[in-house]
Amino acid sequence: MTPGPDPDGRARGASAESDEEGRDRGRKAGGDERAGPDARDTREEAAGASSDRGTDAGSTPDSGDADAEQTIPLKTLAVLNWLGDRGVTGVEARLNDVLDDELTATTEQVKVGYAEQRTVPGQFVAADRAGARVLLSEPLVGNVLVVFPMASANKAAALMLRRAVEDLSSVSTEMGRDALTELCNMMANGFVDEWATLFDTTIDTGSPVAVQDPERTLVARILKQYGVGLFIRSRLHIPEHDVNATIYVFPGRQEFVTKLSGVGLEVIDS
């Protein structure tokens, strides 16, 4: 039940972005997950994206050769890392609401970095990812990208469908993709809702757009829209179901970065 694109290239409620139509149509939820197990993705990421280092409060953003004006103060890095962790708490709350489980979503790594078209191949993996992209509008314009390794995508879609479908082997590719897209939408909204509360503002989100492509392709597609280059990445692990996911936030305007940079260290202890 790999969430691949429809034959006509559309997902229910949103247009699919994959150019490889009908990919992995025969795979069922909970069934054969040979097309990209998480362990293989992890090995590829370690070998093929060595520049994709984690960033903590004591380091500078990973950027290859970032321009001087892109430097972020250490206190701001600490806040951005904290915001990544804070967003995960909102994701965990949404997952518990949707899946009706006592889940624990652990943050494996929060990273603050810069990316440009020319640096994407060295910063993001070539392995396929499935998930959804959610547009952010005023006042914090940008994109949230929620993606799963293919094995985890199957498991996540199955979790969404297990209370509605008795026989998961009968689930179609379209149904599986729609379930995963909706889950990604809930995760993205749970993440940014935590920020909206912090900033005391409303962050409007658009309809989720189903995506399936190599991670670097998905990121390059988003970067074509914006010139900011900053991103915040939170990697999640749901140990109860051995599901891994990654949430990227890409600010679309400098005002977004300025807003984030204006948060003081005192918020971490509040």
Side-chain angles (χ1 to χ4, degrees):
M1 190 193 60
T2 300
D6 281 342
D8 61 357
R10 294 189 299 273
R12 187 158 56 219
S15 60
E17 288 193 344
S18 176
D19 294 331
E20 300 180 18
E21 298 177 351
R23 181 186 305 164
D24 298 335
R25 286 187 184 281
R27 193 169 298 110
K28 305 292 191 231
D32 187 1
E33 295 176 341
R34 290 173 292 178
D38 294 357
R40 185 187 310 157
D41 291 339
T42 301
R43 290 195 298 271
E44 178 177 348
E45 183 162 354
S50 59
S51 64
D52 191 11
R53 300 180 299 274
T55 298
D56 57 27
S59 61
T60 56
D62 176 19
S63 59
D65 53 347
D67 295 332
E69 62 268 21
Q70 292 178 323
T71 302
I72 294 179
L74 291 181
K75 68 174 184 178
T76 302
L77 280 175
V79 171
L80 293 178
N81 277 276
W82 178 82
L83 284 171
D85 281 326
R86 178 70 178 265
V88 172
T89 66
V91 174
E92 183 176 356
R94 289 296 180 98
L95 289 174
N96 281 321
D97 288 343
V98 174
L99 302 179
D100 193 27
D101 281 328
E102 290 299 323
L103 298 176
T104 55
T106 60
T107 308
E108 304 227 323
Q109 184 183 39
V110 174
K111 171 186 172 178
V112 180
Y114 289 105
E116 301 173 346
Q117 291 293 338
R118 63 186 177 84
T119 66
V120 164
Q123 291 179 272
F124 302 92
V125 300
D128 269 12
R129 297 289 186 258
R133 176 175 56 83
V134 178
L135 183 68
L136 304 179
S137 55
E138 300 290 351
L140 301 182
V141 176
N143 266 279
V144 179
L145 178 66
V146 183
V147 290
F148 296 81
M150 299 310 295
S152 284
N154 290 332
K155 296 174 187 176
L159 288 173
M160 284 289 287
L161 291 168
R162 63 182 178 175
R163 289 177 177 80
V165 179
E166 291 185 3
D167 182 11
L168 291 176
S169 66
S170 66
V171 172
S172 67
T173 298
E174 179 183 1
M175 185 181 296
R177 186 189 54 255
D178 288 345
L180 184 67
T181 301
E182 183 57 28
L183 177 61
C184 291
N185 185 42
M186 293 175 182
M187 292 172 67
N189 278 274
F191 193 95
V192 299
D193 279 355
E194 290 294 315
W195 290 14
T197 299
L198 175 65
F199 297 134
D200 193 24
T201 187
T202 299
I203 302 177
D204 293 327
T205 59
S207 299
V209 178
V211 296
Q212 182 178 327
D213 261 317
E215 182 184 67
R216 59 184 55 167
T217 301
L218 298 174
V219 172
R221 193 173 292 151
I222 291 175
L223 291 179
K224 285 181 180 179
Q225 304 175 51
Y226 305 129
V228 176
L230 176 73
F231 65 89
I232 299 174
R233 182 193 69 195
S234 294
R235 282 186 174 152
L236 310 176
H237 179 61
I238 305 174
E240 291 86 352
H241 301 285
D242 192 26
V243 170
N244 295 296
T246 304
I247 298 178
Y248 288 100
V249 179
F250 294 92
R253 295 179 183 172
Q254 188 60 41
E255 292 85 348
F256 195 154
V257 181
T258 302
K259 186 78 170 178
L260 295 176
S261 300
V263 179
L265 284 172
E266 64 277 2
V267 72
I268 298 176
D269 298 323
S270 62

